[in-house]
Amino acid sequence: MNIQWYPGHMTKAKRAMKEDMKLIDLVIELVDARVPLASRNPDLDELGRGKSRIVLLNKGDLADERLNEAWTRYFQEKGFFVLKVNARSGSGLKQLNGVVQEACREKLQRDRKRGILNRPVRAMVVGIPNVGKSTFINSFTGKACTKTGNKPGVTKGNQWIRLNKSLELLDTPGILWPKFEDQRVGLLLAFIGSINDEILHKEELAMELIRFLMEYYPGVLEKRYQIDVREEPAAGNETGAGMTAGNEPEDSNGHGSDQSPTGKKAKVQAASVLTQIAQARGCLMKGKETDTAKAAGILLDDFRSGRLGRITLEFPEADIP
Ligand code: GDP
């Protein structure tokens, strides 16, 4: 996969975020609950050093509930405060104020000791593109808030949204870039539609998704498309390495063994499933040939909008289903 990115943007974004970090107490980081690691930028740990941290598992409505819980534990064990939310519907957001207070307890205690009372916590929303930052800010702030500007120390026309007497939010989110150089990350972000499809080979992508679903969510494709995927599930994958955090889906040569989910047999199988989906959906070209490109588009669209059910593409290492 060849993904273009411009280092100039990265440097600029990083510098801007470094400046903004000086103004805040708390980082609210949004990740996509379907790919909680691939949708993070590890640089944030460095940039946000010394700040209170909350991870919001956003789009939790599209992700596997069992894995939402596993990921919540994963991030908690790493010392983050975590909340599963749906920024679009607003579900889960009510609990956020309480979590903010908890995450900033030490800072609030320090303030109190110094005789500083009622100084609101200042927070910034951060995440890679498309994780739902704007949706979240709109839902969370609603109409009840007031914008406050021109405060000392606030540069670049930054505005603070005052949510209540104890919390202010920087009105523009911090945008980070994903770890594109990792092919696995590129693939996962392509599945969820965060990378422009035009630069990708849709059929290849759809077949990768088919292989993943057959391995980890058996029955999903059959149910949705009324097809018969009766092949034996690919054997020889006892480690369950699949899309596990930190593992490449393929071996070090970039070739799966014949029996692994990335092996030759699985590839043939995925191609045949895609053809079956094309037939089931009446995707035909002139001469009755199946239009697998169209079927690929349908499958990706169904997955991204949750019509295949709630599916998580990454598993915490200790929690392989
Ligand atoms: P940003 O680039 O991080 O600001 O992302 P946006 O706020 O523009 O959201 C990207 C897309 O994700 C939009 O189509 C939103 O409607 C959608 N979205 C955001 N949050 C959720 C969520 O919790 N659940 C679902 N299903 N969709 C969401």
Side-chain angles (χ1 to χ4, degrees):
M1 210 171 314
N2 181 20
I3 295 152
Q4 303 292 328
W5 198 262
Y6 306 100
H9 285 175
M10 291 201 270
T11 322
K12 218 171 139 195
K14 203 166 168 178
R15 210 180 303 133
M17 191 163 304
K18 237 182 188 161
E19 285 304 306
D20 286 342
M21 283 288 172
K22 293 179 189 159
L23 309 174
I24 57 153
D25 312 294
L26 168 71
V27 177
I28 301 177
E29 179 187 7
L30 265 77
V31 301
D32 189 309
R34 295 167 297 174
V35 285
L37 290 189
S39 59
R40 294 191 79 208
N41 180 320
D43 287 352
L44 188 55
D45 290 335
E46 175 66 41
L47 284 164
R49 197 182 292 269
K51 306 290 172 188
S52 302
R53 301 282 298 273
I54 294 178
V55 168
L56 295 183
L57 283 176
N58 191 37
K59 310 199 186 185
D61 55 309
L62 297 173
D64 192 328
E65 191 53 37
R66 206 161 47 95
L67 284 157
N68 283 341
E69 279 160 28
W71 280 113
T72 300
R73 284 195 301 274
Y74 172 92
F75 284 113
Q76 281 171 341
E77 278 161 20
K78 299 238 178 293
F80 297 98
F81 288 82
V82 191
L83 195 61
K84 182 196 80 172
V85 296
N86 174 349
R88 198 140 76 174
S89 72
S91 132
L93 296 185
K94 270 203 197 110
Q95 283 142 275
L96 186 52
N97 279 314
V99 178
V100 167
Q101 293 302 309
E102 240 180 282
C104 296
R105 184 171 296 161
E106 276 180 29
K107 173 218 162 316
L108 295 170
Q109 278 171 353
R110 250 190 340 260
D111 276 1
R112 222 167 288 140
K113 269 194 198 138
R114 289 186 197 145
I116 305 168
L117 295 175
N118 303 325
R119 188 164 72 92
V121 167
R122 285 184 157 182
M124 173 164 69
V125 173
V126 175
I128 68 164
N130 212 35
V131 283
K133 295 180 295 300
S134 318
T135 311
F136 164 74
I137 291 177
N138 287 337
S139 297
F140 188 50
T141 57
K143 289 194 185 83
C145 63
T146 49
K147 283 195 176 184
T148 58
N150 301 325
K151 287 196 175 175
V154 181
T155 52
K156 300 180 287 149
N158 272 335
Q159 291 223 308
W160 295 94
I161 303 171
R162 173 167 273 238
L163 282 131
N164 51 52
K165 64 178 183 352
S166 53
L167 180 61
E168 288 186 355
L169 199 66
L170 205 55
D171 74 340
T172 41
I175 301 169
L176 285 167
W177 52 97
K179 248 187 111 193
F180 271 151
E181 61 277 13
D182 180 341
Q183 290 294 298
R184 189 189 66 92
V185 168
L187 183 64
L188 292 172
L189 294 178
F191 283 153
I192 62 166
S194 283
I195 291 174
N196 193 343
D197 272 347
E198 278 156 32
I199 61 168
L200 301 163
H201 193 297
K202 259 195 178 183
E203 280 165 87
E204 284 282 323
L205 193 61
M207 285 193 283
E208 289 280 358
L209 183 61
I210 288 170
R211 285 197 281 276
F212 174 85
L213 293 173
M214 286 172 70
E215 175 75 9
Y216 296 105
Y217 288 89
V220 159
L221 293 168
E222 289 89 328
K223 189 167 157 231
R224 173 78 192 161
Y225 303 108
Q226 303 294 307
I227 55 175
D228 190 5
V229 184
R230 214 177 298 168
E231 275 280 344
E232 297 281 302
N237 190 38
E238 294 83 1
T239 57
M243 294 287 174
T244 305
N247 277 319
E248 291 289 337
E250 298 185 339
D251 69 24
S252 55
N253 300 321
H255 308 296
S257 76
D258 192 42
Q259 290 175 337
S260 78
T262 49
K264 219 184 296 162
K265 189 173 160 206
K267 280 187 179 151
V268 173
Q269 212 176 327
S272 124
V273 171
L274 189 59
T275 305
Q276 282 192 62
I277 294 173
Q279 284 160 348
R281 283 289 185 265
C283 305
L284 297 173
M285 296 193 283
K286 271 191 207 141
K288 293 252 163 80
E289 214 181 302
T290 47
D291 187 346
T292 44
K294 192 169 172 195
I298 291 175
L299 172 70
L300 290 168
D301 214 45
D302 281 348
F303 166 70
R304 290 168 185 168
S305 54
R307 286 190 293 269
L308 295 181
R310 297 175 63 175
I311 290 164
T312 297
L313 298 170
E314 267 186 320
F315 314 135
E317 255 158 295
D319 245 303
I320 297 161

